[in-house]
Amino acid sequence: MDKKSVPAPSEEEIDWGGSGAGGSKNLQKDKTLLKNVHTGLPNPPSGAIKCSLIKGDYLYFHYGCDGQDDRGWGCGYRTVQTLSSWICHNCSPPENHCRPVPSLPEIQHALVTMGDKTDSFSGSREWIGTFECSLVLDHFYDVPCKVVHVRGGGPELEHVAVAELHQHFEKHNSPVMMGGDRDNSSKGALGVWTGDKGSYLLVLDPHYYGCELDRTELQRRGWVAWKRVSSLDQSSFYNLCMPQTARLLNVF
């Protein structure tokens, strides 16, 4: 990773507002979130043949980061929020689509409004995946997504997923949401590294819950880390939700 090309980490305050479905009484306003938490992370222990990374700024959303305890069901929502924050920071919004990152109630309400979920979904603890992510980003930001299905097994992950991710980061620059069946824990992908000792994904894990940590501590604990592709569940399929942002990108 070329550390000089990555913006310095910082913090940002988010005004969550109060217009979400069901209200936002559980949310803390002006919550400080860390930006670009992968900055300065050491490269994988493998000689680089090809490395593709996101460009631009994003905020790290994780369990409980807005005061709502969503442990056990909210990881998909948090990854959607991280992707949304990247769109807010780096894309020129179409008319009528300049809006902040949606809250969890707002995401649920949007999925009900568009007919993907029944009324009982609002206020529930039902999780969401890559398909719902694609609907939400299109609804709030007019950003279409490409959803790639990767069958379980080493060859599919090492070749199909890695090739798709290289192409995505080089063209669209945006983070990607990942999820599967046996491995149903949502995660963000910020980069891909093809080396002489195998491939790695730069994974942003939304499952952290607790007091705010600084960037160095998040990296030390592995909440953002380079993970060997071979360490993924080889018996699980994976879906990749790739925001198609090229037409909206600001100039980097």
Side-chain angles (χ1 to χ4, degrees):
M1 185 187 303
D2 182 359
K3 296 181 182 179
K4 293 184 179 179
S5 66
V6 182
S10 61
E11 298 178 347
E12 185 163 318
E13 291 187 345
I14 298 295
D15 183 357
W16 293 98
S19 61
S24 299
K25 62 183 179 180
N26 293 325
L27 304 183
Q28 293 175 270
K29 294 184 180 181
D30 298 326
K31 180 66 177 181
T32 299
L33 299 175
L34 289 178
K35 182 187 290 185
N36 305 337
V37 295
H38 70 291
T39 303
L41 197 66
N43 292 336
S46 173
I49 297 173
K50 187 175 185 180
C51 180
S52 305
L53 297 168
I54 67 166
K55 294 179 181 178
D57 296 334
Y58 65 90
L59 299 176
Y60 173 47
F61 287 81
H62 55 84
Y63 279 166
C65 66
D66 53 14
Q68 180 171 358
D69 186 352
D70 55 318
R71 285 176 290 179
W73 60 274
C75 57
Y77 297 85
R78 299 308 184 182
T79 304
V80 168
Q81 289 179 317
T82 293
L83 269 60
S84 298
S85 75
W86 186 93
I87 293 171
C88 291
H89 279 94
N90 302 289
C91 293
S92 299
E95 186 178 359
N96 300 324
H97 282 268
C98 183
R99 60 146 295 132
V101 173
S103 65
L104 272 62
E106 287 173 327
I107 292 172
Q108 291 185 334
H109 179 66
L111 290 168
V112 171
T113 299
M114 67 183 74
D116 180 66
K117 305 294 184 185
T118 63
D119 290 345
S120 62
F121 182 71
S122 289
S124 72
R125 295 188 173 187
E126 293 185 38
W127 55 266
I128 60 173
T130 52
F131 176 69
E132 289 87 354
C133 176
S134 69
L135 295 178
V136 169
L137 296 184
D138 186 51
H139 175 83
F140 285 115
Y141 301 105
D142 197 25
V143 171
C145 295
K146 177 181 179 181
V147 178
V148 176
H149 177 73
V150 182
R151 292 179 296 175
E156 288 285 323
L157 290 169
E158 285 282 355
H159 300 296
V160 176
V162 167
E164 288 280 357
L165 287 167
H166 274 302
Q167 293 175 16
H168 173 81
F169 292 128
E170 289 170 2
K171 181 177 181 179
H172 297 285
N173 301 329
S174 54
V176 170
M177 177 171 170
M178 292 183 62
D181 56 346
R182 287 179 61 89
D183 179 5
N184 57 12
S185 296
S186 173
K187 53 188 71 68
L190 307 179
V192 59
W193 173 289
T194 299
D196 53 14
K197 298 179 182 179
S199 298
Y200 292 76
L201 298 181
L202 181 51
V203 175
L204 183 64
D205 189 339
H207 295 85
Y208 172 68
Y209 181 84
C211 62
E212 290 299 323
L213 303 176
D214 63 23
R215 170 182 56 89
T216 301
E217 187 63 15
L218 285 171
Q219 293 180 6
R220 188 187 72 81
R221 297 190 187 187
W223 294 110
V224 56
W226 286 103
K227 303 284 189 182
R228 284 184 178 272
V229 171
S230 60
S231 71
L232 297 174
D233 190 331
Q234 301 297 300
S235 63
S236 177
F237 73 71
Y238 287 90
N239 290 325
L240 310 175
C241 180
M242 301 176 164
Q244 305 294 285
T245 51
R247 67 182 174 85
L248 297 172
L249 288 177
N250 296 326
V251 177
F252 288 106

